[in-house]
Amino acid sequence: MAAYNPGVIDPIELNADLHCHSDVSDGTLSPEGVAARAHANGVQLWSLTDHDEVGGQQRALRAARELGLPYLSGVEVSVTFAGKTVHIVGLGFDIEDAALREGLAATRGGRGQRAHEMAQALAEAGIENAYEGALRYVGNPELISRTHFARFLVDSGVCANTPEVFRHYLADGKPGFVPHRWAALADAVGWIRGAGGMAVIAHPGRYNFSPNEEHAFVGEFKALGGEGVEVVTGSHRPDEYPKYAAMALEFGLYASRGSDFHSPDESHTDLGTLPLLPGKLIPVWELLAERVHMP
Ligand code: AMP
Ligand code: MN
Ligand code: MN
Ligand code: MN
């Protein structure tokens, strides 16, 4: 594989989008559709990071190649750490790696049962047939997620939009929330690293950790071999970027950038439209240059 060389520009100025979803998890576009949109929006290095699933990677890679778009393999692993759900993005791994695939399959495994329990909880809150309703939006039967329930609740008129569904029904502590045990942090980082990839903390601003908990989480992640953190993400407000830039510098982590795009109708941040990474940071793609699939 040819080493990736972004060429004329300073690497920090690259329009990389290394976090987004297709209908192989909880996005609404196909992997090919996400690729076309990333390309049309001027993305120069792309990764599709579906939740707990690499089933879309071959299609994403093929579509990127046809569009002339450099590509890094990607995944977003659901993890339970200190009783909270956190997300770890993997980038630049071998998509055929057996241990990674088995680990992801085990992580996906509880989703069906959880979805039935969510539907039961929603029924007790007065919303009937939510399992069947959510299933209509699911592209991959192994990947039924809260997002699919949210689409059902919006389209059936219960709520006006997906953030409202989460606020009223699906966030931790709300009537339709069912606690779930995801992968262990050590396992998620281990699967990604074992497959030759880089583990990156996804949207660290979303976890409601206290400062002490956050420090423990990032310290443990780093001790396990985690190497990156998302600094500029569609899941952070712009005023949060400096805090996570400082985190990257404090912990010696590479910085990543990604829209977390799910759907043209729902996502407030489109592919490839985020500000660039702040200066002084080292982007993850500097370390991953050898792992980029060139068109
Ligand atoms: P799950 O993996 O089934 O727990 O679903 C998590 C997904 O729900 C995330 O990946 C987001 O796509 C979506 N999500 C979580 N919180 C919110 C929110 N407050 N507003 C909109 N979508 C959300
Ligand atoms: Mn999602
Ligand atoms: Mn996430
Ligand atoms: Mn995501």
Side-chain angles (χ1 to χ4, degrees):
M1 191 189 306
Y4 177 56
N5 177 7
V8 289
I9 53 171
D10 181 340
I12 203 119
E13 293 181 9
L14 192 74
N15 188 353
D17 196 324
L18 304 181
H19 187 149
C20 60
H21 300 272
S22 74
D23 61 6
V24 170
S25 66
D26 62 348
T28 60
L29 302 181
S30 64
E32 293 81 6
V34 183
R37 195 174 179 100
H39 181 253
N41 285 3
V43 170
Q44 295 166 298
L45 175 63
W46 175 51
S47 180
L48 177 69
T49 55
D50 277 312
H51 296 285
D52 306 327
E53 172 70 272
V54 291
Q57 292 300 304
Q58 284 289 7
R59 290 169 62 190
L61 175 57
R62 199 176 319 123
R65 193 168 273 151
E66 281 167 15
L67 291 160
L69 179 56
Y71 186 75
L72 276 169
S73 59
V75 68
E76 181 176 20
V77 187
S78 308
V79 164
T80 301
F81 179 84
K84 291 200 165 111
T85 299
V86 300
H87 287 169
I88 301 296
V89 163
L91 295 172
F93 50 84
D94 170 10
I95 63 177
E96 302 301 339
D97 185 85
L100 173 71
R101 283 179 169 264
E102 280 163 30
L104 294 176
T107 306
R108 290 194 296 276
R111 281 185 179 270
Q113 175 66 26
R114 169 191 187 235
H116 283 291
E117 290 170 22
M118 285 175 62
Q120 179 66 36
L122 287 168
E124 282 160 24
I127 297 162
E128 301 294 336
N129 301 320
Y131 179 80
E132 295 74 15
L135 209 54
R136 290 208 298 272
Y137 299 87
V138 169
N140 172 357
E142 288 187 35
L143 230 295
I144 184 164
S145 92
R146 284 186 289 164
T147 312
H148 302 111
F149 282 86
R151 291 191 183 125
F152 166 64
L153 292 187
V154 171
D155 290 349
S156 57
V158 176
C159 291
N161 50 51
T162 43
E164 189 183 313
V165 179
F166 278 86
R167 268 200 311 281
H168 292 302
Y169 291 102
L170 299 182
D172 193 349
K174 299 300 173 184
F177 181 79
V178 172
H180 192 74
R181 189 154 197 95
W182 302 106
L185 182 63
D187 288 338
V189 174
W191 299 330
I192 294 163
R193 282 175 62 79
M198 181 194 285
V200 178
I201 296 173
H203 42 62
R206 286 248 309 263
Y207 302 135
N208 298 319
F209 282 137
S210 69
N212 278 345
E213 287 171 331
E214 184 177 84
H215 203 271
F217 166 55
V218 183
E220 173 114 11
F221 170 77
K222 171 105 184 170
L224 290 166
E227 295 172 289
V229 62
E230 289 182 348
V231 171
V232 171
T233 144
S235 290
H236 285 174
R237 296 184 314 272
D239 63 300
E240 293 176 295
Y241 301 160
K243 177 177 173 189
Y244 297 100
M247 174 188 278
L249 292 173
E250 179 189 349
F251 285 88
L253 296 169
Y254 296 92
S256 195
R257 174 177 188 266
S259 57
D260 208 354
F261 177 83
H262 283 69
S263 162
D265 304 322
E266 295 164 10
S267 296
H268 50 85
T269 306
D270 206 340
L271 289 150
T273 62
L274 285 168
L276 296 174
L277 286 174
K280 283 208 277 191
L281 300 175
I282 305 177
V284 294
W285 48 91
E286 290 226 26
L287 199 75
L288 290 168
E290 298 290 328
R291 310 290 309 176
V292 172
H293 294 268
M294 294 303 289

